[in-house]
Amino acid sequence: MKYRIILFLILGLDAFILIFQTTQISISPSEASLLYDKSSFLQQLIKLSLKIFGQNDFGLRFVMIMFHLLSAWLLYKISAKYLKLHRNRIWLVTLFVLLPGVISAALVVSHAGLIIFGLFLYIYLSQKFNQYYVNMLLFLYALLDAGFIYLFLGLTIYNLFQKNRFLFFYNLFLTGLSAYIYKYDISGVPSGHFLDTIGVYSAIFTPIIFIYIVYTLYRGYLNDESDKIWYISSTALLFSLLLSFRQRVAIELFAPYLILALPLAAKTFAHSYRVRLKNFRKGYRAIFILAFVFLIFNALIVLFNKELYLILDNPKKHFAYKMHIAKALANKLKAMNISCVSTNKAMQERLKFYFIGKCDKNILQELKLNANEKNNVTISYKNKVLYRANVTKLNNK
């Protein structure tokens, strides 16, 4: 009971911070594209949320926050198979909610949050229910999102080694079905994005945790690991690294599969720590403390990222620049009694979310921050100019 209360408090605090963060950011170009362009299952969920909560930032991000909280709860349940002590499972959930990539997936409307939740849900149901219902869930996944193709691929390889002929062909079929529906393309010429991919993985997990997850998967290979999570995570990691040699990889579709490996990494760490005498545990304690220091530091940077503007020469180099500006710009335009403008497509879609329509009578043109032109729209943070533009009113009479 004590640990359930602790889990509830962690998730409650996590939810409060995430909800507060929705007031600090704007809709990004990628989010606007997802919301207004090609239809998808995630788009329909977001639109339903907006109908319920209104067209605002909380309504936009509510679905992602719920996916995040449910994923944390499922991780706690799943980890019971790998971690016998409740306190270790609490530490694992804490690590999960502090991961920079997980925080981003909880706030940014993208397929990553849906895939993380879907993977944890699959593992949880496969532990609890008959395989028939799990197979129905997998078929549903094939129809809902392209990102689950690596789940089917991992399960295909897993069932090949388990010599389960029916599940091997079933998951192979789902892999082909998903590739056909979403027109999966791996064409390209060698372009050398391998190091970029490693760098993004390190940023998502922090270097220490990413290295330890890779170590855990490699150790599983040496020990002839037969765990389903190991096959799913290893397949996705190897596939992403192989693809990175010839094209830029959409890491948001692969990173959830390494997040799935967290229970395995925690089990490996706990076992390695437990089998050693107290005098030989200092190194593991140091790694554990250092990992959490990095996690807390990175989480603070993500949550209080606007302060970085004060030390950057060029605000556009800020990693979250595209998550700012639009809402403040819309409020500035409304204060000028402007309800519609004509500007570039990316900003036009973002302003649309904040009820600034499209018209030809007001032309919004962004200016360079260091240009000498006079402007009538300026967005700043603590006296640091982030955006400059001119609104030109045309006389069409």
Side-chain angles (χ1 to χ4, degrees), residues 44 56 67 158 308 337 350:
Q44 298 308 311
N56 53 62
F67 278 151
Y158 169 74
L308 295 177
N337 294 318
R350 298 173 72 191

Side-chain angles (χ1 to χ4, degrees), residues 25-27 57 326-327 330 334 350-356:
I25 53 180
S26 305
I27 188 171
D57 289 288
K327 180 162 51 177
K334 290 174 184 177
R350 298 173 72 191
L351 292 175
K352 177 182 177 181
F353 182 77
Y354 298 107
F355 304 102
I356 299 294

Side-chain angles (χ1 to χ4, degrees), residues 34 38-50:
L34 188 149
K38 189 176 179 180
S39 179
S40 65
F41 173 70
L42 181 59
Q43 181 194 78
Q44 298 308 311
L45 287 180
I46 301 301
K47 287 184 175 181
L48 177 61
S49 175
L50 292 173

Side-chain angles (χ1 to χ4, degrees), residues 50-166:
L50 292 173
K51 285 183 180 180
I52 296 172
F53 298 104
Q55 190 162 311
N56 53 62
D57 289 288
F58 175 75
L60 177 68
R61 307 185 192 284
F62 172 78
V63 172
M64 307 314 299
I65 293 174
M66 288 305 301
F67 278 151
H68 169 76
L69 296 175
L70 290 172
S71 297
W73 180 80
L74 287 170
L75 175 61
Y76 181 79
K77 291 292 186 179
I78 291 167
S79 61
K81 176 182 175 181
Y82 302 90
L83 300 168
K84 302 305 179 184
L85 297 179
H86 286 279
R87 66 171 179 268
N88 289 345
R89 295 161 63 187
I90 290 292
W91 278 114
L92 179 60
V93 171
T94 304
L95 182 149
F96 171 78
V97 300
L98 286 175
L99 284 174
V102 171
I103 296 173
S104 297
L107 286 173
V108 180
V109 179
S110 71
H111 295 272
L114 171 62
I115 296 171
I116 293 171
F117 170 70
L119 292 174
F120 281 139
L121 180 64
Y122 165 74
I123 295 298
Y124 175 74
L125 294 181
S126 66
Q127 292 177 354
K128 300 291 183 179
F129 293 94
N130 184 282
Q131 186 64 45
Y132 171 80
Y133 300 105
V134 176
N135 289 341
M136 293 298 294
L137 178 70
L138 290 175
F139 183 76
L140 186 62
Y141 281 179
L143 303 178
L144 294 183
D145 199 280
F148 289 113
I149 188 172
Y150 309 110
L151 170 61
F152 309 140
L153 188 61
L155 290 175
T156 299
I157 297 173
Y158 169 74
N159 286 296
L160 173 65
F161 282 94
Q162 296 298 310
K163 299 180 180 179
N164 189 322
R165 184 174 298 180
F166 170 77

